[in-house]
Amino acid sequence: MAQQVQGVIAPGKNQPLRVETIVVPDPGPGEAVVKIQACGVCHTDLHYKQGGINDDFPFLLGHEASGIVESVGEGVTDVAPGDFVILNWRAVCGSCRACLRGRPQYCFNTHNARQKMTLLDGGAELSPALGIGAFAEKTLVAAGQCTKVDPTVSPAVAGLLGCGVMAGIGAAINTGNVGRGDSVAVIGCGGVGDAAIVGARLAGAARIIAVDIDDRKLATAQAMGATHTVNSRAQDAVETIRELTGGHGADVVIEAVGHPETYKQAFYARDLAGTVVLVGVPTPEMTLELPLLDVFGRGGALKSSWYGDCLPSRDFPMLIDLHQQGRIDLGAFVTETIALDEVEKAFERMHEGDVLRSVVVF
């Protein structure tokens, strides 16, 4: 029987958010209904509100979530009612060309629930953010979007692995292949950038250089594990990174802003044959121009990192275990917990640079 719950809706481009009653259908084949316990406020949700992803309004926002599986549909065997799960937007298919080559982290056919959640008032179909829609008391997802983890972990902490924290840690470990003794520069020290710093430290980087224009963010980055900080308003980021790496540039530079100018900084701040990782999300109108001779002459690798090139079934439980062992502090990313009707205010605080993550707790 379909259920009625409260959820946060973006009704149109840049329109104020609304808390509305939504209808969640019973799970069909391959689907699950999850009772949400916590959901982080991610910049991607703001992109949805601003129309920066697509124009399939109205959106049901929220995607960095954890909760309890309430019910499952026919054919679901990997999760069962009562399981504590982190929701993910990479539900691998197992049959596309990437999966068949043993690279499921690059699955080209990730799937979502087939049924649509709707608004009670008027019956409009909702587009769930990243196929999840977790600023809601309950949501409908594909069962493959549910990853079981240790149920003793804080839901507010666990949910952040669903997007931003995983993206940053994975950008360092999975995409950048940071190794022991490497030098790493991270440009942009929001939640994703700080997670990349955590990932670089976890991988054994010897020198981790944090770059931002906000001294408050740089102080947080240092607390997360950065060995050096650069305020690029006051210093030339490229030259300073080179100075801090013996004049060569960093082995891996992670761009966590998603802007052409900071990407160019990353490109020129890396060592010859070094690696640039783009994990910041650009907007559709942005373009990049680089001298092709410089691209050829510097060698190395220019990579993009989607979701930290993660495999949720592998990486989520591992990172939760490391957190539970005290080897990484995922709780440091939770700046505040808020109610469902405070998401709009959380977007404002995001712009002001006062938070790493606001987390809606149900």
Side-chain angles (χ1 to χ4, degrees):
M1 182 176 180
Q3 303 181 67
Q4 297 178 14
V5 301
Q6 297 295 293
V8 174
I9 306 302
K13 185 175 181 178
N14 286 322
Q15 293 182 19
L17 303 181
R18 300 201 302 255
V19 178
E20 297 270 7
T21 300
I22 65 174
V23 178
V24 181
D26 285 342
E31 296 176 342
V33 170
V34 178
K35 183 177 181 180
I36 303 300
Q37 293 186 315
C39 184
V41 181
C42 176
H43 203 276
T44 303
D45 291 304
L46 182 58
H47 276 319
Y48 274 104
K49 179 192 173 186
Q50 295 170 335
I53 306 294
N54 57 55
D55 60 357
D56 293 335
F57 293 96
F59 291 111
L60 173 59
L61 299 183
H63 59 279
E64 284 187 346
S66 64
I68 302 294
V69 175
E70 183 180 84
S71 57
V72 299
E74 180 184 347
V76 175
T77 58
D78 290 340
V79 293
D83 286 342
F84 177 67
V85 297
I86 299 172
L87 299 183
N88 72 76
W89 47 271
R90 177 165 279 159
V92 300
C93 71
S95 58
C96 69
R97 60 191 185 279
C99 288
L100 292 176
R101 293 173 68 188
R103 300 174 182 175
Q105 67 270 32
Y106 302 122
C107 179
F108 301 115
N109 192 31
T110 60
H111 51 280
N112 306 129
R114 293 180 179 274
Q115 299 182 86
K116 288 289 189 179
M117 293 177 280
T118 59
L119 285 173
L120 178 65
D121 185 9
E125 291 187 346
L126 295 168
S127 300
L130 290 176
I132 292 174
F135 286 152
E137 294 164 322
K138 297 178 184 180
T139 192
L140 176 75
V141 293
Q145 294 179 266
C146 300
T147 304
K148 290 191 290 186
V149 296
D150 183 346
T152 65
V153 70
S154 161
V157 168
L160 298 188
L161 287 179
C163 189
V165 172
M166 182 70 256
I169 292 176
I173 294 177
N174 297 331
T175 315
N177 295 313
V178 174
R180 293 186 299 275
D182 280 353
S183 58
V184 178
V186 177
I187 300 177
C189 297
V192 174
D194 282 347
I197 289 168
V198 169
R201 186 175 71 168
L202 187 65
R207 183 158 296 198
I208 304 172
I209 304 163
V211 181
D212 205 282
I213 59 174
D214 188 328
D215 284 333
R216 295 171 302 169
K217 290 185 176 182
L218 290 171
T220 301
Q222 200 158 28
M224 291 287 190
T227 59
H228 299 77
T229 61
V230 179
N231 187 320
S232 55
R233 283 194 192 277
Q235 300 168 275
D236 184 299
V238 174
E239 290 305 317
T240 307
I241 291 169
R242 286 178 176 168
E243 289 171 8
L244 291 169
T245 54
H248 305 300
D251 296 309
V252 180
V253 185
I254 298 169
E255 200 278 355
V257 179
H259 193 278
E261 290 306 311
T262 45
Y263 187 88
K264 289 178 183 178
Q265 289 178 333
F267 178 81
Y268 288 109
R270 68 184 175 128
D271 196 357
L272 291 175
T275 299
V276 174
V277 176
L278 174 64
V279 68
V281 181
T283 52
E285 75 280 1
M286 290 180 178
T287 59
L288 176 69
E289 184 173 338
L290 284 170
L292 190 58
L293 184 60
D294 286 358
V295 176
F296 173 78
R298 298 183 69 83
L302 307 179
K303 295 183 173 183
S304 297
S305 183
W306 276 36
Y307 212 177
D309 289 339
C310 80
L311 183 59
S313 60
R314 175 195 65 197
D315 294 338
F316 288 4
M318 173 193 70
L319 292 172
I320 291 296
D321 285 348
L322 291 175
H323 170 72
Q324 297 289 64
Q325 295 167 21
R327 295 169 63 186
I328 56 175
D329 182 11
L330 298 178
F333 289 91
V334 181
T335 307
E336 63 175 0
T337 57
I338 63 173
L340 189 62
D341 60 0
E342 296 180 287
V343 173
E344 191 85 77
K345 292 180 181 178
F347 283 155
E348 295 171 7
R349 286 192 288 273
M350 184 188 296
H351 275 306
E352 294 163 1
D354 292 334
V355 296
L356 278 182
R357 275 297 186 270
S358 303
V359 181
V360 175
V361 174
F362 292 85

